[in-house]
Protein backbone atom coordinates (compact mmCIF):
# COMPACT_ATOMS: atom_id res chain seq x y z
CA UNK A 1 0.00 0.00 0.00
CA UNK A 2 1.36 3.46 -0.94
CA UNK A 3 2.62 5.79 1.76
CA UNK A 4 -0.22 8.21 0.99
CA UNK A 5 -2.68 5.53 2.10
CA UNK A 6 -0.74 5.07 5.33
CA UNK A 7 -1.07 8.81 5.92
CA UNK A 8 -4.85 8.52 5.84
CA UNK A 9 -4.67 5.66 8.33
CA UNK A 10 -2.49 7.72 10.67
CA UNK A 11 -4.79 10.75 10.47
CA UNK A 12 -7.80 8.62 11.42
CA UNK A 13 -5.99 7.02 14.36
CA UNK A 14 -4.73 10.37 15.62
CA UNK A 15 -8.18 11.90 15.18
CA UNK A 16 -9.76 9.23 17.40
CA UNK A 17 -7.11 9.56 20.13
CA UNK A 18 -7.07 13.38 20.23
CA UNK A 19 -10.81 13.59 20.94
CA UNK A 20 -10.04 12.54 24.52
CA UNK A 21 -7.89 14.73 26.81
CA UNK A 22 -5.48 12.23 28.37
CA UNK A 23 -1.91 12.62 29.62
CA UNK A 24 -0.95 9.32 28.02
CA UNK A 25 -1.32 10.93 24.56
CA UNK A 26 2.39 11.64 24.28
CA UNK A 27 4.33 11.63 21.03
CA UNK A 28 5.64 8.17 21.88
CA UNK A 29 2.15 6.82 22.53
CA UNK A 30 0.76 8.33 19.32
CA UNK A 31 3.66 6.82 17.38
CA UNK A 32 3.03 3.39 18.94
CA UNK A 33 -0.69 3.45 18.14
CA UNK A 34 -0.12 4.58 14.55
CA UNK A 35 2.55 1.91 14.06
CA UNK A 36 0.13 -0.77 15.25
CA UNK A 37 -2.56 0.55 12.92
CA UNK A 38 -0.29 0.58 9.89
CA UNK A 39 1.01 -2.91 10.73
CA UNK A 40 -2.54 -4.27 10.60
CA UNK A 41 -3.10 -2.83 7.13
CA UNK A 42 0.35 -3.03 5.52
CA UNK A 43 1.02 -5.64 2.88
CA UNK A 44 3.09 -8.67 3.78
CA UNK A 45 6.77 -7.84 3.63
CA UNK A 46 6.22 -4.07 3.59
CA UNK A 47 9.00 -2.38 5.56
CA UNK A 48 7.25 1.00 5.91
CA UNK A 49 7.62 2.28 9.51
CA UNK A 50 6.21 5.15 11.59
CA UNK A 51 8.58 7.47 13.45
CA UNK A 52 7.94 10.17 16.10
CA UNK A 53 9.11 12.74 13.56
CA UNK A 54 6.45 11.50 11.12
CA UNK A 55 3.76 11.84 13.77
CA UNK A 56 4.88 15.37 14.60
CA UNK A 57 4.63 16.23 10.90
CA UNK A 58 1.17 14.65 10.80
CA UNK A 59 0.03 16.79 13.74
CA UNK A 60 1.37 19.92 12.06
CA UNK A 61 -0.42 19.06 8.85
CA UNK A 62 -3.70 18.34 10.64
CA UNK A 63 -3.46 21.77 12.31
CA UNK A 64 -2.73 23.64 9.08
CA UNK A 65 -5.24 25.27 6.76
CA UNK A 66 -4.02 22.92 4.04
CA UNK A 67 -5.05 20.01 6.25
CA UNK A 68 -8.05 19.99 8.58
CA UNK A 69 -7.49 23.08 10.75
CA UNK A 70 -7.65 20.76 13.75
CA UNK A 71 -7.62 22.58 17.19
CA UNK A 72 -4.72 20.55 18.59
CA UNK A 73 -3.39 21.51 22.03
CA UNK A 74 0.11 20.53 23.11
CA UNK A 75 0.27 20.60 26.94
CA UNK A 76 3.31 19.93 29.11
CA UNK A 77 3.04 17.02 31.56
CA UNK A 78 3.79 18.34 35.11
CA UNK A 79 7.18 17.17 36.37
CA UNK A 80 8.17 15.70 32.99
CA UNK A 81 9.98 16.94 29.94
CA UNK A 82 7.19 15.71 27.66
CA UNK A 83 3.95 17.04 26.22
CA UNK A 84 0.61 15.37 25.60
CA UNK A 85 -1.82 16.22 22.83
CA UNK A 86 -5.60 16.62 22.57
CA UNK A 87 -8.30 18.57 20.77
CA UNK A 88 -9.30 21.84 22.42
CA UNK A 89 -12.83 21.07 21.23
CA UNK A 90 -13.58 17.44 22.09
CA UNK A 91 -16.41 17.36 19.54
CA UNK A 92 -14.04 18.13 16.67
CA UNK A 93 -13.28 15.38 14.15
CA UNK A 94 -11.56 15.49 10.79
CA UNK A 95 -14.47 13.44 9.44
CA UNK A 96 -16.68 16.49 10.09
CA UNK A 97 -14.29 18.89 8.40
CA UNK A 98 -15.83 20.67 5.40
CA UNK A 99 -14.36 20.17 1.97
CA UNK A 100 -12.43 23.07 0.53
CA UNK A 101 -13.28 24.63 -2.81
CA UNK A 102 -10.51 22.75 -4.57
CA UNK A 103 -12.01 19.45 -3.33
CA UNK A 104 -15.43 20.50 -4.61
CA UNK A 105 -13.92 21.55 -7.93
CA UNK A 106 -12.25 18.14 -8.31
CA UNK A 107 -15.53 16.37 -7.53
CA UNK A 108 -17.36 18.47 -10.11
CA UNK A 109 -14.69 17.77 -12.73
CA UNK A 110 -14.95 14.02 -12.14
CA UNK A 111 -18.73 14.22 -12.28
CA UNK A 112 -18.54 16.18 -15.53
CA UNK A 113 -16.45 13.42 -17.11
CA UNK A 114 -18.88 10.75 -15.90
CA UNK A 115 -21.89 12.60 -17.27
CA UNK A 116 -20.27 13.06 -20.66
CA UNK A 117 -18.52 9.74 -21.00
CA UNK A 118 -19.94 9.22 -24.46
CA UNK A 119 -23.42 9.37 -22.93
CA UNK A 120 -22.71 6.15 -21.06
CA UNK A 121 -23.95 7.21 -17.64
CA UNK A 122 -26.24 10.04 -18.69
CA UNK A 123 -29.42 8.20 -17.77
CA UNK A 124 -28.24 7.13 -14.32
CA UNK A 125 -30.39 9.01 -11.79
CA UNK A 126 -27.77 8.75 -9.04
CA UNK A 127 -25.44 11.14 -10.89
CA UNK A 128 -28.06 13.89 -10.95
CA UNK A 129 -28.79 13.22 -7.29
CA UNK A 130 -25.08 13.36 -6.44
CA UNK A 131 -24.70 16.61 -8.37
CA UNK A 132 -27.42 18.19 -6.21
CA UNK A 133 -25.77 16.89 -3.03
CA UNK A 134 -22.41 18.41 -4.03
CA UNK A 135 -24.09 21.82 -4.15
CA UNK A 136 -25.20 21.44 -0.53
CA UNK A 137 -21.83 20.32 0.88
CA UNK A 138 -20.20 22.66 3.42
CA UNK A 139 -17.30 24.41 1.74
CA UNK A 140 -14.17 25.92 3.29
CA UNK A 141 -13.54 29.08 1.24
CA UNK A 142 -10.01 29.47 0.02
CA UNK A 143 -9.93 30.26 -3.70
CA UNK A 144 -9.14 33.74 -4.92
CA UNK A 145 -11.71 36.30 -6.01
CA UNK A 146 -11.13 35.70 -9.71
CA UNK A 147 -12.13 32.05 -9.33
CA UNK A 148 -15.06 32.86 -7.08
CA UNK A 149 -16.49 35.33 -9.56
CA UNK A 150 -16.22 33.00 -12.53
CA UNK A 151 -19.67 32.75 -14.10
CA UNK A 152 -19.32 29.92 -16.60
CA UNK A 153 -16.92 27.01 -16.86
CA UNK A 154 -15.11 26.80 -20.21
CA UNK A 155 -15.32 23.65 -22.29
CA UNK A 156 -12.18 21.64 -21.51
CA UNK A 157 -13.06 18.24 -22.94
CA UNK A 158 -15.03 17.47 -26.08
CA UNK A 159 -16.55 14.03 -26.65
CA UNK A 160 -17.71 12.40 -29.84
CA UNK A 161 -21.26 11.08 -29.95
CA UNK A 162 -22.67 13.02 -27.02
CA UNK A 163 -26.07 11.41 -27.49
CA UNK A 164 -25.75 7.67 -27.69
CA UNK A 165 -29.19 6.62 -26.52
CA UNK A 166 -29.59 4.68 -29.76
CA UNK A 167 -26.18 3.09 -29.39
CA UNK A 168 -26.73 0.73 -26.46
CA UNK A 169 -24.99 2.93 -23.90
CA UNK A 170 -27.85 2.45 -21.42
CA UNK A 171 -26.93 -1.26 -21.31
CA UNK A 172 -23.39 -0.73 -20.03
CA UNK A 173 -24.34 -0.46 -16.34
CA UNK A 174 -26.51 -3.63 -16.21
CA UNK A 175 -23.97 -5.54 -18.30
CA UNK A 176 -21.13 -4.40 -16.06
CA UNK A 177 -23.08 -5.50 -12.98
CA UNK A 178 -23.87 -8.91 -14.52
CA UNK A 179 -20.17 -9.42 -15.39
CA UNK A 180 -19.13 -8.43 -11.88
CA UNK A 181 -21.68 -10.76 -10.23
CA UNK A 182 -21.20 -13.58 -12.79
CA UNK A 183 -24.88 -13.61 -13.72
CA UNK A 184 -26.38 -14.84 -16.97
CA UNK A 185 -28.68 -12.69 -19.10
CA UNK A 186 -31.43 -13.03 -21.69
CA UNK A 187 -30.88 -10.67 -24.63
CA UNK A 188 -32.96 -9.73 -27.64
CA UNK A 189 -30.58 -9.24 -30.54
CA UNK A 190 -31.14 -7.96 -34.09
CA UNK A 191 -28.46 -8.36 -36.73
CA UNK A 192 -27.83 -5.52 -39.19
CA UNK A 193 -28.91 -7.64 -42.15
CA UNK A 194 -32.10 -9.05 -40.62
CA UNK A 195 -35.43 -7.57 -39.48
CA UNK A 196 -35.87 -10.52 -37.13
CA UNK A 197 -35.09 -10.13 -33.42
CA UNK A 198 -33.56 -13.27 -31.93
CA UNK A 199 -33.29 -14.22 -28.28
CA UNK A 200 -30.07 -15.50 -26.73
CA UNK A 201 -29.05 -16.61 -23.26
CA UNK A 202 -25.57 -15.30 -22.64
CA UNK A 203 -22.85 -15.36 -20.01
CA UNK A 204 -21.09 -11.97 -20.27
CA UNK A 205 -17.34 -11.64 -19.56
CA UNK A 206 -16.02 -8.26 -20.70
CA UNK A 207 -17.11 -4.89 -22.07
CA UNK A 208 -14.97 -3.63 -24.95
CA UNK A 209 -14.98 -0.30 -26.76
CA UNK A 210 -13.65 -0.14 -30.29
CA UNK A 211 -14.05 2.54 -32.95
CA UNK A 212 -16.62 4.47 -30.86
CA UNK A 213 -18.83 1.39 -30.39
CA UNK A 214 -19.32 -0.84 -27.37
CA UNK A 215 -19.29 -4.64 -27.46
CA UNK A 216 -19.87 -7.35 -24.90
CA UNK A 217 -17.71 -10.48 -25.00
CA UNK A 218 -19.90 -13.46 -24.09
CA UNK A 219 -20.73 -17.09 -24.62
CA UNK A 220 -24.19 -18.19 -25.67
CA UNK A 221 -26.21 -21.37 -25.58
CA UNK A 222 -25.85 -23.20 -28.86
CA UNK A 223 -22.43 -21.76 -29.66
CA UNK A 224 -19.19 -23.65 -29.05
CA UNK A 225 -17.13 -20.45 -28.92
CA UNK A 226 -17.19 -17.00 -27.39
CA UNK A 227 -18.25 -14.01 -29.46
CA UNK A 228 -18.73 -10.25 -29.31
CA UNK A 229 -22.13 -8.59 -29.58
CA UNK A 230 -22.37 -4.87 -30.45
CA UNK A 231 -24.51 -3.15 -27.86
CA UNK A 232 -26.32 -1.05 -30.45
CA UNK A 233 -27.90 -4.26 -31.83
CA UNK A 234 -29.19 -5.43 -28.45
CA UNK A 235 -32.87 -4.48 -28.28
CA UNK A 236 -33.65 -5.88 -24.84
CA UNK A 237 -31.90 -7.21 -21.77
CA UNK A 238 -33.15 -9.01 -18.67
CA UNK A 239 -31.85 -11.41 -16.02
CA UNK A 240 -31.88 -15.12 -16.79
CA UNK A 241 -32.12 -18.06 -14.43
CA UNK A 242 -29.79 -20.32 -16.40
CA UNK A 243 -26.34 -21.16 -15.01
CA UNK A 244 -23.49 -18.72 -15.69
CA UNK A 245 -20.81 -20.38 -17.82
CA UNK A 246 -17.21 -19.48 -16.83
CA UNK A 247 -15.02 -17.99 -19.56
CA UNK A 248 -13.91 -20.95 -21.75
CA UNK A 249 -11.02 -19.28 -23.61
CA UNK A 250 -8.98 -18.55 -25.65
CA UNK A 251 -6.54 -17.82 -22.85
CA UNK A 252 -7.33 -17.87 -19.17
CA UNK A 253 -8.81 -14.37 -18.89
CA UNK A 254 -11.43 -12.65 -21.11
CA UNK A 255 -9.06 -9.86 -22.14
CA UNK A 256 -6.84 -12.47 -23.82
CA UNK A 257 -9.57 -12.92 -26.45
CA UNK A 258 -8.41 -9.65 -28.03
CA UNK A 259 -4.64 -10.13 -27.79
CA UNK A 260 -4.11 -11.49 -31.32
CA UNK A 261 -6.49 -9.23 -33.22
CA UNK A 262 -7.16 -5.67 -34.24
CA UNK A 263 -10.67 -4.73 -33.17
CA UNK A 264 -13.21 -7.29 -31.97
CA UNK A 265 -13.51 -10.00 -34.66
CA UNK A 266 -11.68 -13.16 -33.61
CA UNK A 267 -12.27 -16.21 -35.81
CA UNK A 268 -10.91 -19.25 -33.98
CA UNK A 269 -10.21 -20.94 -37.33
CA UNK A 270 -7.81 -18.20 -38.50
CA UNK A 271 -4.15 -18.56 -37.48
CA UNK A 272 -1.92 -15.74 -36.25
CA UNK A 273 0.28 -14.34 -39.04
CA UNK A 274 3.52 -12.37 -38.95
CA UNK A 275 2.58 -9.37 -41.08
CA UNK A 276 5.51 -7.34 -42.43
CA UNK A 277 4.83 -3.75 -43.44
CA UNK A 278 6.88 -1.01 -45.05
CA UNK A 279 6.18 2.38 -43.51
CA UNK A 280 7.20 5.70 -45.04
CA UNK A 281 9.47 7.88 -42.94
CA UNK A 282 6.78 10.58 -42.67
CA UNK A 283 4.38 8.10 -41.03
CA UNK A 284 6.95 6.31 -38.89
CA UNK A 285 6.97 8.76 -35.90
CA UNK A 286 3.19 8.44 -35.62
CA UNK A 287 3.23 4.63 -35.66
CA UNK A 288 6.10 4.59 -33.19
CA UNK A 289 3.88 6.20 -30.55
CA UNK A 290 0.49 4.89 -31.73
CA UNK A 291 1.14 1.22 -32.40
CA UNK A 292 -0.83 -0.68 -35.00
CA UNK A 293 -1.02 -3.55 -32.50
CA UNK A 294 0.52 -4.43 -29.14
CA UNK A 295 2.72 -7.02 -30.88
CA UNK A 296 4.38 -4.38 -33.06
CA UNK A 297 8.15 -4.81 -33.13
CA UNK A 298 10.71 -1.95 -33.33
CA UNK A 299 11.19 -0.69 -36.87
CA UNK A 300 14.19 -1.61 -39.00
CA UNK A 301 15.72 0.12 -42.02
CA UNK A 302 15.14 -1.21 -45.52
CA UNK A 303 17.15 -0.88 -48.74
CA UNK A 304 15.35 2.39 -49.40
CA UNK A 305 16.17 5.32 -47.09
CA UNK A 306 12.54 6.58 -47.07
CA UNK A 307 10.99 3.28 -45.95
CA UNK A 308 11.20 1.26 -42.75
CA UNK A 309 10.05 -2.24 -41.90
CA UNK A 310 7.78 -3.11 -38.98
CA UNK A 311 6.12 -6.39 -38.08
CA UNK A 312 2.95 -7.27 -36.20
CA UNK A 313 1.67 -10.66 -35.07
CA UNK A 314 -2.09 -10.75 -35.69
CA UNK A 315 -4.99 -12.71 -37.09
CA UNK A 316 -6.11 -11.08 -40.35
CA UNK A 317 -9.64 -9.70 -40.00
CA UNK A 318 -11.82 -6.92 -41.38
CA UNK A 319 -10.64 -4.41 -38.79
CA UNK A 320 -6.98 -5.07 -39.60
CA UNK A 321 -7.46 -4.46 -43.33
CA UNK A 322 -9.50 -1.31 -42.64
CA UNK A 323 -6.73 -0.01 -40.38
CA UNK A 324 -3.95 -0.68 -42.90
CA UNK A 325 -5.90 0.91 -45.75
CA UNK A 326 -6.53 4.02 -43.64
CA UNK A 327 -2.85 4.96 -43.89
CA UNK A 328 -3.03 5.15 -47.69
CA UNK A 329 0.18 5.28 -49.75
CA UNK A 330 2.42 5.76 -46.70
CA UNK A 331 2.07 2.08 -45.75
CA UNK A 332 2.36 -1.09 -47.81
CA UNK A 333 2.10 -4.79 -47.01
CA UNK A 334 5.19 -6.84 -47.85
CA UNK A 335 4.00 -10.23 -46.63
CA UNK A 336 2.61 -12.75 -46.24
CA UNK A 337 1.49 -13.05 -49.85
CA UNK A 338 -2.13 -13.86 -48.97
CA UNK A 339 -2.55 -10.60 -47.03
CA UNK A 340 -0.72 -8.60 -49.70
CA UNK A 341 -3.08 -10.00 -52.37
CA UNK A 342 -6.14 -9.26 -50.23
CA UNK A 343 -5.00 -5.65 -49.81
CA UNK A 344 -4.51 -5.40 -53.58
CA UNK A 345 -7.99 -6.80 -54.15
CA UNK A 346 -9.59 -4.28 -51.76
CA UNK A 347 -7.70 -1.33 -53.22
CA UNK A 348 -8.57 -2.38 -56.79
CA UNK A 349 -12.22 -2.61 -55.82
CA UNK A 350 -12.05 0.86 -54.28
CA UNK A 351 -10.35 2.21 -57.41
CA UNK A 352 -13.29 1.06 -59.52
CA UNK A 353 -15.52 3.52 -57.69
CA UNK A 354 -13.51 6.46 -59.05
CA UNK A 355 -13.00 5.51 -62.70
Amino acid sequence: MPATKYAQIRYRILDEILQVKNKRNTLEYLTKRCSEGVDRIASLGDTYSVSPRQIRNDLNFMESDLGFEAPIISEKIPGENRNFFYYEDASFSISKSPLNEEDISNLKSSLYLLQRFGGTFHDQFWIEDFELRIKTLPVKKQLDEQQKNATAAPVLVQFDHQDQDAGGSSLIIPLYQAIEKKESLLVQYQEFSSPEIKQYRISPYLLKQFNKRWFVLCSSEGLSYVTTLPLDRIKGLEPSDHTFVPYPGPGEEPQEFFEDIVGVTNDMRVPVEVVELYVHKNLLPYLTTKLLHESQRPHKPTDHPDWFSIKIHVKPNYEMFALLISYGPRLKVVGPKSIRLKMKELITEMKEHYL
Side-chain angles (χ1 to χ4, degrees), residues 210-264:
F210 175 72
N211 198 23
K212 300 177 184 177
R213 297 179 71 200
W214 282 96
F215 300 81
V216 58
L217 177 68
C218 61
S219 62
S220 176
E221 286 187 345
L223 292 180
S224 58
Y225 54 88
V226 291
T227 188
T228 53
L229 300 180
L231 268 55
D232 55 3
R233 307 312 302 166
I234 296 178
K235 304 304 178 183
L237 184 71
E238 59 186 89
S240 172
D241 57 3
H242 84 292
T243 303
F244 180 89
V245 178
Y247 176 68
E252 296 182 357
E253 300 294 336
Q255 60 267 28
E256 295 180 46
F257 178 87
F258 301 98
E259 285 186 352
D260 296 327
I261 59 173
V262 174
V264 296

Side-chain angles (χ1 to χ4, degrees), residues 16-33:
E16 181 181 352
I17 296 173
L18 296 174
Q19 291 176 41
V20 179
K21 182 178 181 180
N22 194 314
K23 292 181 181 179
R24 73 178 178 180
N25 296 347
T26 62
L27 192 61
E28 293 77 11
Y29 178 74
L30 298 179
T31 303
K32 178 176 179 292
R33 287 287 304 274

Side-chain angles (χ1 to χ4, degrees), residues 40-285:
R40 290 196 300 270
I41 303 298
S43 303
L44 185 65
D46 198 329
T47 58
Y48 184 82
S49 61
V50 179
S51 67
R53 181 179 179 181
Q54 178 66 71
I55 298 304
R56 189 173 292 280
N57 289 338
D58 290 344
L59 294 172
N60 290 337
F61 173 77
M62 292 172 67
E63 281 187 291
S64 72
D65 57 359
L66 294 176
F68 307 100
E69 295 183 342
I72 300 175
I73 299 295
S74 174
E75 185 174 326
K76 187 174 178 60
I77 301 176
E80 297 187 32
N81 191 26
R82 294 188 302 167
N83 288 29
F84 68 101
F85 302 85
Y86 61 94
Y87 286 151
E88 182 178 23
D89 178 1
S91 65
F92 177 86
S93 173
I94 62 174
S95 62
K96 300 176 184 178
S97 179
L99 298 174
N100 59 43
E101 289 195 6
E102 185 177 0
D103 295 329
I104 295 293
S105 177
N106 289 335
L107 278 174
K108 288 180 177 179
S109 298
S110 300
L111 189 63
Y112 173 85
L113 293 175
L114 277 175
Q115 287 174 312
R116 290 156 181 80
F117 182 56
T120 300
F121 302 102
H122 183 70
D123 58 349
Q124 298 302 308
F125 69 89
W126 65 268
I127 287 190
E128 293 183 3
D129 177 63
F130 188 56
E131 185 176 25
L132 292 174
R133 292 172 65 186
I134 286 178
K135 294 178 181 178
T136 64
L137 288 173
V139 181
K140 181 171 60 179
K141 303 294 184 181
Q142 67 178 41
L143 297 188
D144 59 34
E145 287 301 319
Q146 183 178 356
Q147 291 172 297
K148 292 178 183 178
N149 295 330
T151 56
V155 175
L156 303 179
V157 182
Q158 187 174 43
F159 292 88
D160 289 335
H161 301 289
Q162 288 286 338
D163 184 5
Q164 291 187 344
D165 290 341
S169 61
S170 62
L171 303 176
I172 289 181
I173 295 296
L175 282 168
Y176 177 90
Q177 292 171 339
I179 292 169
E180 188 176 43
K181 297 176 183 178
K182 292 183 169 54
E183 295 176 343
S184 59
L185 296 167
L186 194 64
V187 302
Q188 287 76 48
Y189 183 79
Q190 182 181 21
E191 296 181 359
F192 279 109
S193 58
S194 173
E196 181 184 1
I197 296 179
K198 298 180 180 180
Q199 185 166 272
Y200 297 101
R201 290 176 178 173
I202 68 167
S203 296
Y205 306 120
L206 183 74
L207 285 163
K208 171 78 171 179
Q209 188 183 39
F210 175 72
N211 198 23
K212 300 177 184 177
R213 297 179 71 200
W214 282 96
F215 300 81
V216 58
L217 177 68
C218 61
S219 62
S220 176
E221 286 187 345
L223 292 180
S224 58
Y225 54 88
V226 291
T227 188
T228 53
L229 300 180
L231 268 55
D232 55 3
R233 307 312 302 166
I234 296 178
K235 304 304 178 183
L237 184 71
E238 59 186 89
S240 172
D241 57 3
H242 84 292
T243 303
F244 180 89
V245 178
Y247 176 68
E252 296 182 357
E253 300 294 336
Q255 60 267 28
E256 295 180 46
F257 178 87
F258 301 98
E259 285 186 352
D260 296 327
I261 59 173
V262 174
V264 296
T265 307
N266 189 345
D267 189 334
M268 296 297 111
R269 299 166 297 180
V270 176
V272 174
E273 302 268 17
V274 179
V275 182
E276 183 177 10
L277 309 163
Y278 278 8
V279 178
H280 193 269
K281 64 180 181 181
N282 292 341
L283 179 61
L284 186 63

Side-chain angles (χ1 to χ4, degrees), residues 273-279 291-300 308-314 334-335:
E273 302 268 17
V274 179
V275 182
E276 183 177 10
L277 309 163
Y278 278 8
V279 178
L291 304 182
L292 292 167
H293 186 262
E294 291 300 320
S295 64
Q296 181 174 314
R297 298 293 185 264
H299 62 275
K300 295 181 179 180
F308 294 83
S309 171
I310 62 175
K311 294 181 180 180
I312 56 175
H313 296 235
V314 294
V334 178

